[in-house]
Amino acid sequence: MKRIYCLFISVHLLGAASAQLPKLGKSPVKEIVAAMTLEEKAKLLTGNGFKMPGMKPPGGPVVGTTQDKVPGAAGTTFAIPRLGIPSIVVADGPAGVRIDPVRNGDSSKTFYATAWPIGTLLASSWDTALVRNVGVAFGSEVHEYGVDILLAPALNIHRNPQGGRNFEYYSEDPVVAGNITAAMVNGIESNGVGTSIKHFAANNQETNRNTVNTILSERALREIYLKGFQIAVKKSQPWTVMSSYNLINGTYTSQEYDLLTTILRKEWGFKGFVMTDWFGGKDPVAQMKAGNDLLMPGTTQQSQAIISAVQHDSLDVKVLDENVERMLNVILESPAFKGYKFSDKPDLAKDAALSRTAAAEGMILLQNKSNALPLGSKGTVVALFGNNGYDLIAGGTGSGDVNKAYTVSLAQGLTSAGFKLDAALQNTYTNYLKEEKIKHPKKGFFEEFMHPTPPIAELVAEEKMVTQKASSASIAIISIGRNAGEGSDRKLPGDYYLNDTEMVMIKTVANAFHAQHKKVVVVLNTGGVVDVTRWRDAVDGILMAWQPGLEGGNAIADVLSGKVNPSGKLATTFPAAYDDVPSAKSFPGKEFPERAVTGMLGMRQVPAEVTYEDGIYVGYRYYNTFKVKPAYEFGFGLSYTNFAYSNLTLSSPVLNGSITAKLTITNTGKVAGKEVVQLYISAPAVKLAKPAEELKAFAKTALLQPGKSQTVEFVITAADLASFDTNSTSWVAEAGRYIVKAAASSEDVKQQATFELAKDIVTEKCNKVLVPQVEINELKK
């Protein structure tokens, strides 16, 4: 009896002790942190591991797999049930939730997601309300598929057209990138799920992305490469930020305290936690000290290094406590913590319709000679040339790809819109593509990432065949496709520039159809900028369709047919020649092969560096300031109607707090349309050199019927005018005369007005951080 009584007492005491443990959500977060063991803290901060079929774990064993909660998600965090801390799920990606569409080989139930238009296309809509709506629908899929945090959006700058992941990013301009990001974040997070804005920061190339040291001035960093993140943080307060792979001025971003703590948290007021990109950085202890709270996907070596550092007094446990506290505050908001019973059944049909709408809104009519577009009436016979017309590229590759149920080709879109495709031509292309695809069986994600399948060679358009089609068809459409993505940058021959077969196809088709007095239209289904100067004079119309998501073919047909009046405008410049790009000489930098090592996923890693000698003169800031004429300027885009700008007024001739700029936009054409209004400001350049003008705000009108007008307003403050002064480490609006320019593009100023600033205003005093360790020969005005 005595033994039974003792056992009863022991069990009772054990139960009482368990009942007294603090629980997340029921006890203050600091009490939860205090109750955690050192090992639990280290594991929470290092993620749950990473595994892909057929892949040996890099760098030694990893903990767990990404298959435990949502198969195909990018990663999970460590759960601590005794304290009520659940594991949360993070998933790619910028254009749609990337998870496994089929589980355990059972295709009777699928988990496909909407492939939304790529980031550059969404930014080209210049419509924050639309982007927020996309975010709301996007976030609903995140929620219903059991994901807690989406690893998106991505907002790095389009520094160079060859950037492999430019399709994920929004613009060459931080004001566009920051505001589009904020709209997307606010939309996604309205569902009670999180985002991770990325890649923080100055991650503008894929070449040597894990090793490249980005060398740039304090001013260029602040004004160009951090500004978009600053806008996004202040306007949307995302749950998390993802540090990038690269170094900035000699230090890995994930190990840079001044980037992640001094700037991000202290200067900008960021409240969430920071996670690494997968296997980013080198030193887990330095990452903890920098304020990089979560190391993903997490390895046992990392957690052991953190534990050892605390035990040997090289890492204060109070640092871990702060990191853990930031993570727990976010976990508290997660669906996993709240026990949300996700359905695995988002409304994909509804989302597909929105994807189609958004895609059409961001397409850009670059050329339209003699009103070649819109196409004629239904029943018009179309000769569709180009592999891409029958095999649309919905989005880019790598973690920015999406497992989607279908993709609507341009051929399908045109047919659904009531146009009649040349059947023989369609059969020729369809059979050719089918045969070529058999030669390249579908590969898994990891194998495709390591050894990308080359694009199918363009079918040669024989002159005799083209001439026959010119006699029977009413118009020719040539579709040109390009794809790129994570892991490598684009090339100039055959990628940025059209290849010889494509050039011959355009020439052959143009000659044959023009001889019959018929029009030729080119559709560009690409993720980034391509050269147009060598061939645009040969064709009548050019539509920049970008990579428009799973409903892309329908969306392109909507614009070509006139069902939707194109209203997209370029958020990135099309140069007249690649050598005109201000970063052409420095991209992607130089390598040091003698110091190469074996790194992530067994890949050879070569130390490298790139110096941003273009400084603040990125994109239109360069072309306008140095008077270099591009092929199509930033902000450019045609419409099937015309707009008049009038009555630009400023609320005051002197800035005292703020000034409101108002103007009227009138549809003077014959069909309904929308106009993107861009507000540029030219600032005095007494103490600091300035670009000729800089975008400060933008707005998109409602759909205006012919003859109808809308008044657009912009509020201007001193902070909007300020430039970063390296000498005083502060943002300064210089005294003098400012020119406000209401424009249809960076070159097409419609109205302007001026105001004065009586004296210099320091709008923000910053910390002296991230100073380059070498002299930079920056481009000067």
Side-chain angles (χ1 to χ4, degrees):
M1 283 294 296
K2 185 176 180 180
R3 293 178 64 184
I4 294 173
Y5 177 75
C6 290
L7 180 61
F8 171 78
I9 293 296
S10 298
V11 171
H12 178 76
L13 291 174
L14 182 62
S18 176
Q20 292 170 1
L21 280 174
K23 295 288 185 179
L24 188 64
K26 296 181 179 179
S27 307
V29 167
K30 290 186 183 297
E31 287 188 19
I32 305 295
V33 176
M36 293 173 68
T37 66
L38 175 59
E39 183 179 17
E40 287 173 335
K41 293 174 184 177
K43 286 187 175 180
L44 180 65
L45 297 171
T46 52
N48 241 347
F50 181 78
K51 183 180 180 180
M52 281 188 174
M55 186 190 81
K56 295 181 180 179
V62 295
V63 183
T65 79
T66 57
Q67 304 296 309
D68 56 346
K69 295 185 74 174
V70 179
T76 57
T77 62
F78 184 73
I80 308 174
R82 73 183 188 93
L83 299 175
I85 303 172
S87 171
I88 62 172
V89 178
V90 300
D92 294 316
V97 186
R98 194 169 67 83
I99 56 176
D100 288 347
V102 177
R103 299 174 183 176
N104 301 317
D106 180 10
S107 59
S108 63
K109 182 180 180 182
T110 57
F111 305 83
Y112 290 106
T114 301
W116 300 98
I118 60 169
T120 307
L121 184 151
L122 291 177
S124 299
S125 75
W126 298 67
D127 190 337
T128 54
L130 173 71
V131 173
R132 190 186 190 283
N133 289 340
V134 169
V136 171
F138 195 162
S140 176
E141 293 189 25
V142 174
H143 202 210
E144 292 306 320
Y145 275 138
V147 173
D148 297 285
I149 296 175
L150 181 74
L151 303 176
L155 68 149
N156 294 108
I157 294 295
H158 292 173
R159 178 173 177 256
N160 186 284
Q162 291 190 78
R165 294 179 83 171
N166 279 357
F167 74 96
E168 294 184 35
Y169 307 148
Y170 292 125
S171 177
E172 67 187 32
D173 180 79
V175 171
V176 174
N179 282 286
I180 296 293
T181 297
M184 180 64 79
V185 169
N186 286 328
I188 292 171
E189 294 195 349
S190 69
N191 292 274
V193 296
T195 59
S196 188
I197 64 173
K198 62 184 187 180
H199 309 87
F200 193 60
N203 182 83
N204 308 292
Q205 63 185 69
E206 288 299 287
T207 303
N208 300 313
R209 63 176 181 164
N210 297 91
T211 60
V212 66
N213 179 24
T214 302
I215 301 172
L216 74 171
S217 69
E218 297 166 75
R219 184 178 179 188
L221 179 63
R222 294 272 191 172
E223 289 192 15
I224 305 296
Y225 301 100
L226 295 185
K227 185 68 174 180
F229 285 96
Q230 182 179 14
I231 292 169
V233 166
K234 292 192 173 184
K235 288 192 172 184
S236 66
Q237 197 58 248
W239 284 16
T240 78
V241 169
M242 181 188 290
S243 56
S244 55
Y245 284 126
N246 57 288
L247 301 84
I248 292 180
N249 291 333
T251 303
Y252 281 103
T253 60
S254 62
Q255 298 169 197
E256 179 52 81
Y257 177 90
D258 285 330
L259 179 68
L260 305 184
T261 299
T262 304
I263 293 177
L264 180 61
R265 294 190 170 98
K266 294 181 179 179
E267 292 185 7
W268 299 352
F270 175 63
K271 304 300 182 186
F273 71 78
V274 177
M275 72 172 78
T276 61
D277 204 338
W278 268 226
F279 302 104
K282 297 293 183 184
D283 185 342
V285 176
Q287 290 169 317
M288 291 294 105
K289 292 179 179 179
N292 198 120
D293 310 295
L294 176 61
L295 311 185
M296 288 300 283
T299 68
T300 53
Q301 290 93 330
Q302 289 173 326
S303 59
Q304 288 167 359
I306 291 168
I307 291 169
S308 177
V310 173
Q311 291 174 337
H312 292 87
D313 297 326
S314 58
L315 176 61
D316 192 332
V317 73
K318 292 181 180 178
V319 171
L320 295 191
D321 292 347
E322 289 181 4
N323 298 340
V324 168
E325 186 173 337
R326 286 192 287 261
M327 279 195 63
L328 293 181
N329 283 331
V330 170
I331 291 173
L332 269 169
E333 303 298 320
S334 68
F337 173 75
K338 295 178 178 179
Y340 180 68
K341 304 299 181 183
F342 54 91
S343 67
D344 276 333
K345 295 180 179 179
D347 193 340
L348 296 180
K350 181 180 178 182
D351 291 352
L354 178 58
S355 180
R356 175 177 178 171
T357 297
E361 289 288 319
M363 292 180 186
I364 303 159
L365 185 60
L366 294 177
Q367 181 167 293
N368 198 21
K369 295 178 185 176
S370 303
N371 297 319
L373 294 172
L375 297 174
S377 59
K378 290 184 179 181
T380 297
V381 179
V382 177
L384 180 59
F385 294 91
N387 297 349
N388 185 246
Y390 304 88
D391 191 13
L392 187 100
I393 300 170
T397 64
S399 61
D401 195 6
V402 185
N403 293 315
K404 51 204 169 290
Y406 65 89
T407 299
V408 178
S409 70
L410 177 53
Q412 291 171 315
L414 289 168
T415 301
S416 296
F419 298 100
K420 185 177 180 181
L421 293 189
D422 183 292
L425 187 59
Q426 183 172 11
N427 288 335
T428 298
Y429 275 102
T430 301
N431 292 333
Y432 171 72
L433 291 170
K434 183 178 179 180
E435 292 172 2
E436 289 300 309
K437 286 181 178 180
I438 292 173
K439 300 175 184 177
H440 298 282
K442 187 175 179 60
K443 295 184 285 192
F445 173 83
F446 181 65
E447 187 180 358
E448 184 64 39
F449 181 84
M450 297 295 291
H451 305 289
T453 302
I456 295 173
E458 184 64 54
L459 177 65
V460 176
E462 299 289 349
E463 186 174 350
K464 181 179 179 181
M465 179 268 288
V466 173
T467 301
Q468 291 174 344
K469 302 308 174 188
S471 297
S472 57
S474 301
I475 190 169
I477 297 177
I478 302 171
S479 191
I480 302 292
R482 289 290 185 273
N483 212 353
E486 188 174 10
S488 62
D489 289 313
R490 299 172 61 199
K491 307 299 181 186
L492 291 177
D495 190 347
Y496 174 78
Y497 292 108
L498 270 56
N499 62 42
D500 292 343
T501 304
E502 291 167 330
M503 291 291 292
V504 169
M505 174 174 61
I506 289 175
K507 181 180 179 181
T508 303
V509 171
N511 287 343
F513 276 74
H514 287 163
Q516 298 282 341
H517 307 291
K518 296 175 181 179
K519 305 296 185 184
V520 177
V521 173
V522 172
V523 174
L524 295 174
N525 172 206
T526 73
V529 174
V530 295
D531 173 69
V532 296
T533 56
R534 295 193 302 164
W535 55 268
R536 65 179 173 179
D537 290 343
V539 303
D540 305 290
I542 304 173
L543 179 68
M544 186 64 202
W546 300 110
Q547 291 172 340
L550 81 177
E551 285 283 332
N554 285 330
I556 297 171
D558 287 342
V559 175
L560 293 176
S561 67
K563 180 181 178 180
V564 174
N565 189 346
S567 60
K569 297 201 176 187
L570 290 174
T572 194
T573 302
F574 272 54
Y578 177 75
D579 287 344
D580 289 342
V581 176
S583 61
K585 293 180 180 178
S586 61
F587 184 92
K590 57 184 178 181
E591 299 181 337
F592 304 97
E594 69 280 4
R595 291 160 31 201
V597 297
T598 300
M600 184 182 74
L601 307 182
M603 293 186 289
R604 183 171 179 263
Q605 293 190 347
V606 181
E609 67 180 30
V610 57
T611 303
Y612 285 12
E613 294 180 343
D614 40 334
I616 62 171
Y617 297 106
V618 176
Y620 74 90
R621 287 171 169 81
Y622 169 76
Y623 296 104
N624 287 17
T625 304
F626 292 89
K627 302 187 185 310
V628 177
K629 181 68 175 175
Y632 296 113
E633 72 271 17
F634 177 82
F636 175 82
L638 300 175
S639 171
Y640 295 149
T641 190
N642 300 299
F643 296 94
Y645 289 54
S646 61
N647 303 323
L648 174 62
T649 60
L650 303 181
S651 59
S652 171
V654 178
L655 178 66
N656 185 13
S658 67
I659 284 179
T660 299
K662 292 184 180 181
L663 71 151
T664 300
I665 308 298
T666 304
N667 183 347
T668 59
K670 297 180 180 180
V671 295
K674 301 177 183 179
E675 173 70 339
V676 173
V677 185
Q678 302 153 49
L679 193 79
Y680 297 86
I681 291 183
S682 295
V686 179
K687 299 175 183 176
L688 297 174
K690 308 283 178 64
E693 48 264 314
E694 292 184 281
L695 182 76
K696 298 300 181 181
F698 59 89
K700 193 166 192 175
T701 68
L703 183 67
L704 298 178
Q705 296 298 323
K708 296 298 182 180
S709 300
Q710 179 178 334
T711 298
V712 179
E713 294 188 9
F714 302 99
V715 177
I716 304 164
T717 67
D720 296 318
L721 309 177
S723 299
F724 189 77
D725 179 17
T726 304
N727 292 329
S728 64
T729 318
S730 55
W731 289 88
V732 180
E734 285 195 63
R737 181 171 176 263
Y738 288 80
I739 306 173
V740 177
K741 301 177 178 180
S745 77
S746 58
E747 288 187 355
D748 188 7
V749 176
K750 301 292 190 179
Q751 294 259 292
Q752 64 182 47
T754 63
F755 67 87
E756 299 287 332
L757 185 61
K759 61 180 181 179
D760 289 1
I761 298 177
V762 175
T763 62
E764 183 182 358
K765 178 67 178 175
C766 300
N767 295 277
K768 189 73 172 176
V769 294
L770 303 175
V771 179
Q773 303 303 301
V774 296
E775 186 175 348
I776 301 172
N777 183 26
E778 270 193 326
L779 185 64
K780 290 181 174 58
K781 187 174 177 178

